[in-house]
């Protein structure tokens, strides 16, 4: 590390090499009093503090707004809206989206990303809800997932692997998202070892979710899967068509109607 020295002779800020240092203290030479000052780098603030939202800013998990706008979707503490940000390890990522995210609005039916194209943005949903739709080769639409207020939205595999997306992400209602470009997110992961672990943690969480969905398909009843979705978003039926929920469950709309009738 570079050092500066101040001698009794008044010479200041002079850099010296190891060889020069040895020469100063050779036997037979009169030693000078030398003070060595090492400039230390100030401690770096935690990432969550560097990317914290400004004072007075709105919460991404509980954004305020008029009734019916979707703003109150995440206000109930008992709702499991946020499986990722609720975990302390992902708060840094959420704070990054709040600090660096570009505000982006979508109307009902607009697409955040499209199947067959590379997904170039990830987002933090402030208001609204999205459905993930896969279009089969035969032209059949299959709803394969949802994202609600307080959750992340985007095709993570397409973003990280730079591949074409297998889903279209469509707004179920007017939505407000803080979006970050894939390249910007990649730069965050390359900042240091801690952020690299963060990126790996996101990938591991997605794998865990896919594994859980696979187990649910075989082990959970249709009613149990539907009830789990309602715990994530109790007001889902207000803006999500029954045919989409039936598609997500992999059943006919008539069967879904019977399931819904049993838990009203």
């Amino acid at each position: 590390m570079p050092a500066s020295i101040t001698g009794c002779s008044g010479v200041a800020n002079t850099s010296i090499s190891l060889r020069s240092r040895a020469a100063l203290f050779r036997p037979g030479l009169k030693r000078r009093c030398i003070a060595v000052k090492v400039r230390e780098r100030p401690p770096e603030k935690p990432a969550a503090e560097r990317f914290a939202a400004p004072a007075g800013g709105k919460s991404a998990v509980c954004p305020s707004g008029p009734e019916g706008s979707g703003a109150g979707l995440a206000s109930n503490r008992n709702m499991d809206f946020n499986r990722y940000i609720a975990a302390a390890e992902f708060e840094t990522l959420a704070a990054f989206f709040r600090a660096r995210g570009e505000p982006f609005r979508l109307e009902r039916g607009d697409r955040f990303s499209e199947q067959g194209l590379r997904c170039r943005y990830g987002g933090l949903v402030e208001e609204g809800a999205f459905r993930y739709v896969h279009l089969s080769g035969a032209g059949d639409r299959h709803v394969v997932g949802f994202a609600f207020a307080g959750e992340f939205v985007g095709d993570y595999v397409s973003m990280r692997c730079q591949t074409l997306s297998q889903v279209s992400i469509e707004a179920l209602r007017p939505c407000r998202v803080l979006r970050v470009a894939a390249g910007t997110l990649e730069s965050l992961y390359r900042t240091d070892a801690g952020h690299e672990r963060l990126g790996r943690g996101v990938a591991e969480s997605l794998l865990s979710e896919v594994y859980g969905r696979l187990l649910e398909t075989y082990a959970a009843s249709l009613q149990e899967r539907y009830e789990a979705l309602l715990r994530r978003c109790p007001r889902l039926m207000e803006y999500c068509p029954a045919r989409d929920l039936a598609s997500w469950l992999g059943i006919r709309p008539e069967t879904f109607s019977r399931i819904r009738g049993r838990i009203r």
Side-chain angles (χ1 to χ4, degrees):
M1 178 182 294
S4 63
I5 62 173
T6 302
C8 295
S9 60
V11 178
N13 296 326
T14 303
S15 298
I16 59 174
S17 64
L18 293 176
R19 181 179 297 178
S20 300
R21 292 181 188 179
L24 289 174
F25 297 100
R26 284 183 300 182
L29 293 180
K30 185 178 180 180
R31 297 183 179 179
R32 299 179 180 181
C33 66
I34 298 176
V36 179
K37 297 186 299 180
V38 179
R39 296 188 180 93
E40 297 183 356
R41 179 182 299 177
E44 188 173 304
K45 295 181 180 180
E49 184 177 341
R50 297 201 310 272
F51 300 136
K58 294 182 180 180
S59 167
V61 179
C62 302
S64 60
E67 179 67 17
S69 66
L73 288 177
S75 60
N76 191 327
R77 292 178 180 270
N78 296 323
M79 298 178 186
D80 185 20
F81 280 97
N82 192 353
R83 294 160 297 163
Y84 302 120
I85 303 175
E89 60 181 317
F90 293 119
E91 175 54 32
T92 297
L93 184 60
F96 179 79
F97 272 84
R98 297 187 193 111
R100 303 289 180 85
E102 169 196 5
F104 186 63
R105 291 184 177 274
L106 302 94
E107 296 301 322
R108 181 177 179 179
D110 290 348
R111 290 179 174 177
F112 184 80
S113 68
E114 188 170 351
Q115 181 175 337
L117 302 177
R118 181 186 167 195
C119 182
R120 299 185 180 275
Y121 293 93
L124 178 63
V125 184
E126 289 194 302
E127 290 182 6
F130 293 87
R131 63 187 167 204
Y132 290 65
V133 180
H134 173 75
L135 188 65
S136 70
D140 298 322
R141 285 171 53 91
H142 300 277
V143 177
V144 296
F146 297 95
F148 304 113
E151 295 182 347
F152 296 109
V153 63
D155 188 334
Y156 194 75
V157 175
S158 176
M159 290 173 57
R160 294 303 306 276
C161 301
Q162 301 183 16
T163 57
L164 301 182
S165 178
Q166 296 297 309
V167 295
S168 292
I169 304 176
E170 302 172 349
L172 283 167
R173 61 181 303 158
C175 297
R176 188 177 72 228
V177 178
L178 295 173
R179 70 176 187 178
V180 172
T184 303
L185 194 58
E186 185 67 27
S187 297
L188 172 68
Y189 294 151
R190 293 179 179 177
T191 302
D192 51 41
H195 288 90
E196 184 179 0
R197 288 194 298 271
L198 174 64
R200 186 170 65 246
V202 173
E204 290 171 351
S205 292
L206 291 174
L207 175 61
S208 176
E209 181 178 356
V210 171
Y211 182 60
R213 287 282 301 275
L214 179 64
L215 291 178
E216 284 181 357
T217 302
Y218 287 96
S221 68
L222 295 173
Q223 181 170 329
E224 289 171 339
R225 293 172 59 197
Y226 176 55
E227 289 174 339
L229 183 62
L230 285 181
R231 285 194 293 272
R232 283 179 62 194
C233 185
R235 295 172 54 187
L236 182 60
M237 287 302 303
E238 294 180 17
Y239 49 85
C240 185
R243 64 176 181 275
D244 285 350
L245 295 172
S247 176
W248 182 76
L249 291 169
I251 58 179
R252 296 176 60 85
E254 296 81 4
T255 305
F256 172 72
S257 296
R258 290 194 293 270
I259 294 174
R260 184 185 175 194
R262 288 200 296 266
I263 63 175
R264 282 179 177 175

